[in-house]
Amino acid sequence: MTATPDLSAIETMDSNDPLRHLRDRFTLPEGLIYLDGNSLGAASPAAFAELEIAAKDEWGSGLIRSWNTAGWFELPVVLGDRIGALIGAGPGQTVVADTTSINIYKALHAAMGLRPDRKVIVAEGGSFPTDLYMAEGVISTLPGTTMRLEGVHAQTIEELIDDSVAVVLVNQVNYKSGALRDMAALTRRAHEAGAIIVWDLCHTAGALPISLDDVNADFAVGCTYKYLNGGPGAPAFIYVAERHLGAASQPLSGWWAHARPFAMERGFEADTGIRRFQCGTQCMLSMRALKGALDIWDDVDLNAVREKSVALTDLFIELVEEKCAGLGVTLESPRDSAKRGSQVSFLHDNAYAVMQALIERGVIGDFRAPTTLRFGFTPLYIGYREVWDAATILEDVLRTEVWKDDRFAVRAAVT
Ligand SMILES: *Cc1c(COP(=O)(O)O)cnc(C)c1O
């Protein structure tokens, strides 16, 4: 085993970091170590500038004209293609719209419609809960449909897939542990059984280089407010493979999904392209903040992002295990970086209080019930020195047991 890097080695890592200059494109408070970009990405001057133009000039002066003159109406598909470029999707298959939860509903319902003779949805018992909640919603409209869950009905998702399965709904990166799935292999496995696969990319987009087109994915959905830094509640995206666009129909058939929205016809006729996965009028201000945030990605190589993400997460694991040995933390994330997304989770019996104490000390990660300390590493704005400092502060919080103070026990609504 090689020795754990010391501070001077860490400083060298920072000065050799090819992504280091990107830190200046973000607005982060001085002295704060922000390891929660996997929950809400950082703000940026680019996003603020877009927001201001959209609000003051386009809304303030352009008013209704801006739907045409400022490109508002087209923006969901324009930004969809830009996100498509970050997830390996050719143009015309991705649109920015609604929330991830709503897009899960649309994708799952559309996928069920492509396999009308089958009645089983396979998902993960350890899924981000909203995926399962939305699946319950879909099931409530399709009598006879049932759900099989990994970790409940079998140990692995692969064992659950047979020729009765209509859809496999799966998170590429587990939100809690950071465990990463092999997208190509699982997509192939689903297709061999004749099933459709829906990928939830909330913890993938902006963190990992993937190629939806190359792996032959069917549907995908994801957030833009996590690693893509679109801002709180920024609209989500949905990808539908071109080969499905003609036949896939989603049930939230609002006027923005219509072939001719401004013809004001009585009956619904879906657009033939990805617009059919929109519903109604989109939130333009949020979408414009996202546009600004996406501008930052123009010169970014996702392979370099992944390389740095692996280095940051490996370093954090190594430092925490060395500094905090015997202090009650155990690694929850896969140790093998090839099987891990851009986050590291440790288990601690009092994870909530420990995280509150860390936040008070200026290290923002988050807590996931019941015992997870979760740390997200966003290579665009996190450096190696911050990893060192975060591990050092965690050690101090654990060694001094400051987290035992009563003030850290009070739970807020959002953790
Ligand atoms: C963050 C996240 C969501 C969030 O869905 P919203 O509708 O935006 O609240 C959904 N799925 C996964 C896997 C997530 O990580």
Side-chain angles (χ1 to χ4, degrees):
M1 227 184 111
T2 53
T4 309
D6 60 12
L7 208 42
S8 88
I10 292 215
E11 275 158 11
T12 308
M13 290 165 95
D14 272 325
S15 36
N16 294 338
D17 170 11
L19 302 178
R20 196 181 185 194
H21 63 285
L22 292 164
R23 171 73 176 75
D24 299 335
R25 310 275 305 261
F26 293 91
T27 307
L28 281 162
E30 206 51 51
L32 186 78
I33 301 176
Y34 191 61
L35 303 182
D36 215 358
N38 55 330
S39 213
L40 176 63
S44 59
F48 295 151
E50 283 292 330
L51 267 176
E52 188 165 346
I53 295 168
K56 287 198 180 153
D57 302 342
E58 297 171 5
W59 179 24
S61 304
L63 289 160
I64 190 73
R65 293 168 290 192
S66 291
W67 283 106
N68 290 312
T69 57
W72 287 356
F73 186 68
E74 295 299 321
L75 199 57
V77 287
V78 170
L79 296 188
D81 281 345
R82 290 183 63 183
I83 290 173
L86 297 173
I87 54 175
Q93 303 173 101
T94 312
V95 67
V96 173
D98 308 320
T99 65
T100 301
S101 300
I102 292 173
N103 289 338
I104 290 167
Y105 189 84
K106 293 187 241 176
L108 203 48
H109 211 294
M112 292 298 291
L114 294 174
R115 293 292 178 272
D117 302 333
R118 299 183 178 204
K119 295 277 179 224
V120 177
I121 296 172
V122 165
E124 306 153 286
S127 171
F128 189 87
T130 205
D131 301 55
L132 302 182
Y133 303 159
M134 296 314 288
E136 285 185 38
V138 170
I139 288 169
S140 74
T141 69
L142 300 172
T145 305
T146 57
M147 192 147 54
R148 283 185 200 158
L149 295 177
E150 180 191 45
V152 177
H153 301 105
Q155 268 324 100
T156 67
I157 204 151
E158 288 80 6
E159 292 168 70
L160 295 172
I161 302 174
D162 59 29
D163 61 11
S164 66
V165 173
V167 189
V168 178
L169 169 65
V170 74
N171 299 200
Q172 197 203 5
V173 178
N174 181 277
Y175 77 102
K176 203 187 265 188
S177 69
L180 173 66
R181 290 200 189 267
D182 180 337
M183 198 171 219
L186 189 57
T187 302
R188 212 178 307 119
R189 177 75 187 81
H191 288 171
E192 279 162 10
I196 298 281
I197 192 157
V198 179
W199 284 100
D200 185 330
L201 303 178
C202 281
H203 291 271
T204 301
L208 296 154
I210 58 163
S211 181
L212 289 173
D213 287 346
D214 288 347
V215 303
N216 218 15
D218 298 298
F219 294 84
V221 299
C223 288
T224 67
Y225 54 75
K226 293 176 180 165
Y227 292 98
L228 294 176
N229 311 305
F237 65 85
I238 179 165
Y239 159 93
V240 183
E242 195 167 17
R243 65 183 178 282
H244 293 311
L245 274 174
S249 81
Q250 58 97 0
L252 305 180
S253 42
W255 70 313
W256 277 49
H258 197 284
R260 296 167 298 278
F262 286 91
M264 303 292 174
E265 294 164 16
R266 180 163 299 136
F268 181 76
E269 182 189 324
D271 181 80
T272 53
I274 190 65
R275 288 174 199 273
R276 66 168 51 195
F277 277 81
Q278 300 188 99
C279 179
T281 309
Q282 296 299 311
C283 38
M284 279 304 132
L285 296 180
S286 284
M287 212 167 286
R288 286 299 287 275
L290 172 61
K291 175 176 182 286
L294 288 175
D295 288 345
I296 297 171
W297 289 94
D298 282 349
D299 322 312
V300 175
D301 171 6
L302 269 163
N303 292 306
V305 169
R306 174 63 176 161
E307 207 174 298
K308 182 174 170 191
S309 156
V310 166
L312 291 168
T313 51
D314 275 346
L315 177 65
F316 188 65
I317 292 171
E318 193 177 350
L319 291 174
V320 170
E321 290 194 331
E322 185 195 83
K323 291 171 183 286
C324 305
L327 295 176
V329 286
T330 42
L331 183 66
E332 181 182 13
S333 297
R335 189 172 296 279
D336 176 1
S337 62
K339 299 198 165 118
R340 192 173 69 225
S342 201
Q343 72 179 65
V344 175
S345 302
F346 282 96
L347 298 169
H348 186 282
D349 288 346
N350 296 94
Y352 184 79
V354 170
M355 184 51 73
Q356 296 316 300
L358 268 178
I359 292 170
E360 193 181 84
R361 295 281 306 272
V363 179
I364 300 190
D366 59 21
F367 158 80
R368 284 293 173 263
T371 53
T372 296
L373 294 165
R374 190 174 73 155
F375 303 92
F377 294 85
T378 308
L380 301 196
Y381 51 77
I382 295 298
Y384 297 95
R385 177 62 201 256
E386 288 168 292
V387 172
W388 169 279
D389 289 343
T392 307
I393 294 169
L394 176 60
E395 178 191 0
D396 193 61
V397 161
L398 293 173
R399 218 172 272 291
T400 59
E401 300 193 329
V402 59
W403 58 267
K404 287 189 173 167
D405 195 285
D406 285 348
R407 70 186 188 283
F408 298 126
V410 186
R411 297 241 175 155
V414 176
T415 64

